[in-house]
Amino acid sequence: MRNNKSTGKYHTNESLDTTIRYYNTEQYACFKRLHPGDVIFAKMPLSNEMLLEIEESHRSRPFLVARKDRTYIYGYQCSSSLMPWLKSYEYHPYRQSIYHDNKDSYFQLNCYYKIPIDYIERYLTTLYYDDCYEIQRKLLMCENHRQSKVHFKIDVSLRLGDIFIKNGKLYLIYQSDHSNHYAFRTYEIIRNHAQSVEADGFYFGFNFNDRLILKKNEYYSLYYHFNYDQLYQAEAIRKKVKRSTSKKALFKLERGMKLLDSHDMEYIYLFTNEKINYALDLKQKQIVKMKHLNEFQPIEMLNQKLLYHYCLPLYSTNKKWKKELNQLIDETSEKGKLCVYINRLSYSLYHTFKLFLCKQNHK
């Protein structure tokens, strides 16, 4: 990369960016003074076609500086409108009362912009450390959700309500004291149920038998953070499960439901025979009894096509359950679903016709 300060001109040798750019001395002086945490007013670094789709007065806006190199700033845009699809970790408030701006705004943290020097208009303010710290936590969450990877160089610590990753598993910190954090296992599920907590469109289930105690100075990758209400719900579920002495599950079993036991083994519920529930053990590829339902947590519901895929190879290896498996295969196959629909329709027509005849005879 070559830079000519005297003429205010530079261009890159990168194959993807050969544009020659010009900037004035004020822009370069502002750029040299910038540090992570500063807020600048700059033109949006978009193509001319994309800029035409944006209202002219909004084509320049505040940006939060997260990082810079020799010729570019990497930052997050600020908007006065909070987009409804953003998760709680994908934005951070920029308060008018604190930073003396025209109105309250929000930094959108789900993607960053690469801003050249000549797009800088002016310096606005510098965020307080507390705001930078909270933004850093949210950016680390974004990174774990495969979003923006540009963040501050600030070390953060875990706290009450945090969900972190250890050995590929999620854990929720539900309690803390002066030296330790206490956490239990949590995991994302597809469908909400009585033993799960909804947060930002995610559904979290829990395995209260898998617990951890960690020192407060230990740090693991931050995935999400429960607010007070969500943490209260999780704690209420934990106490309810602890009080429960019944072997009855706190959820309703449905065919094709994928479940997780206390040892992180996965099962698919298939059928019930003589009041005993049977499931497919996904590791052993065998049909097994489900003894204590309160030890299982539902993860997701399989669609009919996927359930058919699991049932088909079992038919030839399980003579004992051929009748039940044959029924499952018939009902989950395309042909079987058509037969079930025709049978239901026939029964409905027969029942309607029978009622009609009864009325005629009565008359």
Side-chain angles (χ1 to χ4, degrees):
M1 182 179 290
R2 296 200 301 271
N3 185 22
N4 188 333
K5 294 183 183 178
S6 60
T7 60
K9 167 184 172 182
Y10 70 90
H11 70 274
T12 67
N13 293 326
E14 300 172 14
S15 59
L16 296 177
D17 187 4
T18 58
T19 307
I20 298 175
R21 318 199 70 97
Y22 296 88
Y23 54 83
N24 58 42
T25 54
E26 290 81 6
Q27 288 173 323
Y28 186 73
C30 180
F31 172 79
K32 291 292 285 183
R33 289 195 302 267
L34 291 178
H35 297 282
D38 289 342
V39 181
I40 60 169
F41 205 77
K43 181 182 173 183
M44 295 192 75
L46 302 174
S47 65
N48 292 330
E49 292 77 10
M50 295 180 71
L51 283 173
L52 289 174
E53 298 176 6
I54 300 174
E55 189 178 335
E56 189 171 355
S57 60
H58 292 165
R59 293 176 189 174
S60 293
R61 60 180 60 221
F63 284 88
L64 170 63
V65 178
R67 196 180 77 196
K68 73 173 185 176
D69 57 23
R70 292 174 62 187
T71 50
Y72 287 97
I73 294 164
Y74 301 85
Y76 297 93
Q77 70 163 328
C78 190
S79 174
S80 58
S81 301
L82 180 60
M83 301 306 170
W85 60 80
L86 290 176
K87 312 286 188 189
S88 59
Y89 56 84
E90 293 178 335
Y91 67 89
H92 188 78
Y94 178 55
R95 302 293 186 195
Q96 171 194 5
S97 57
I98 298 174
Y99 295 104
H100 310 292
D101 204 351
N102 295 329
K103 54 185 174 181
D104 287 347
S105 303
Y106 304 89
F107 293 114
Q108 296 183 11
L109 309 175
N110 56 326
C111 66
Y112 67 87
Y113 289 83
K114 185 178 177 181
I115 306 166
I117 297 175
D118 53 302
Y119 277 39
I120 297 172
E121 294 187 8
R122 65 183 184 275
Y123 163 85
L124 293 176
T125 188
T126 299
L127 295 188
Y128 292 114
Y129 178 81
D130 288 348
D131 276 322
C132 291
Y133 185 88
E134 293 303 318
I135 289 172
Q136 172 73 343
R137 284 174 52 85
K138 293 178 179 181
L139 289 174
L140 292 172
M141 294 181 208
C142 286
E143 187 173 353
N144 275 319
H145 290 272
R146 298 181 181 179
Q147 294 177 346
S148 51
K149 293 185 178 181
V150 175
H151 47 74
F152 302 130
K153 292 181 179 179
I154 298 176
D155 293 329
V156 300
S157 57
L158 296 175
R159 63 191 185 201
L160 188 67
D162 280 350
I163 295 177
F164 62 90
I165 305 171
K166 182 181 180 182
N167 298 330
K169 297 180 181 180
L170 297 178
Y171 289 89
L172 167 66
I173 298 176
Y174 69 95
Q175 191 177 340
S176 296
D177 56 29
H178 64 282
S179 57
N180 294 323
H181 289 308
Y182 303 89
F184 50 68
R185 175 96 159 82
T186 185
Y187 47 85
E188 282 189 58
I189 57 177
I190 304 298
R191 188 176 177 183
N192 194 16
H193 60 83
Q195 284 184 270
S196 67
V197 173
E198 190 275 334
D200 273 329
F202 301 117
Y203 298 107
F204 291 94
F206 309 100
N207 181 354
F208 302 110
N209 296 319
D210 187 354
R211 299 186 183 187
L212 280 179
I213 299 177
L214 58 152
K215 298 293 182 183
K216 280 198 167 181
N217 58 0
E218 288 184 68
Y219 177 77
Y220 295 97
S221 189
L222 193 57
Y223 187 79
Y224 192 75
H225 177 76
F226 270 8
N227 60 31
Y228 177 79
D229 291 337
Q230 292 156 352
L231 190 61
Y232 179 82
Q233 291 176 49
E235 184 64 13
I237 294 169
R238 186 179 74 88
K239 290 178 179 178
K240 186 176 181 180
V241 171
K242 188 178 179 180
R243 288 195 305 266
S244 176
T245 57
S246 171
K247 293 183 180 179
K248 186 178 179 181
L250 297 176
F251 58 90
K252 184 181 177 182
L253 266 181
E254 295 182 43
R255 189 184 63 195
M257 181 178 281
K258 195 173 183 181
L259 304 115
L260 193 75
D261 71 2
S262 57
H263 303 290
D264 282 349
M265 304 293 289
E266 292 185 340
Y267 300 83
I268 297 172
Y269 168 67
L270 298 177
F271 55 84
T272 300
N273 184 273
E274 297 180 355
K275 297 184 179 181
I276 299 175
N277 301 310
Y278 292 88
L280 170 63
D281 185 328
L282 290 179
K283 186 176 181 180
Q284 299 180 7
K285 305 295 182 186
Q286 294 178 356
I287 296 176
V288 297
K289 292 181 182 180
M290 300 173 66
K291 293 182 180 179
H292 306 303
L293 284 185
N294 60 343
E295 295 180 358
F296 291 87
Q297 297 280 350
I299 305 175
E300 61 177 309
M301 281 294 300
L302 302 184
N303 58 42
Q304 297 290 299
K305 188 175 181 180
L306 195 54
L307 184 58
Y308 174 80
H309 168 76
Y310 280 112
C311 291
L312 196 59
L314 294 173
Y315 183 76
S316 58
T317 57
N318 289 269
K319 294 181 180 180
K320 182 179 178 181
W321 305 114
K322 277 206 169 184
K323 180 182 176 182
E324 288 78 4
L325 289 171
N326 189 49
Q327 183 181 351
L328 270 172
I329 291 169
D330 283 346
E331 292 181 3
T332 54
S333 66
E334 294 299 324
K335 184 179 178 181
K337 283 189 282 186
L338 180 60
C339 291
V340 170
Y341 173 75
I342 292 171
N343 288 337
R344 287 177 179 172
L345 182 62
S346 301
Y347 176 79
S348 178
L349 291 172
Y350 168 76
H351 187 66
T352 305
F353 184 65
K354 189 176 179 180
L355 285 173
F356 174 75
L357 288 179
C358 288
K359 288 181 180 178
Q360 291 298 321
N361 290 336
H362 182 69
K363 286 181 181 179

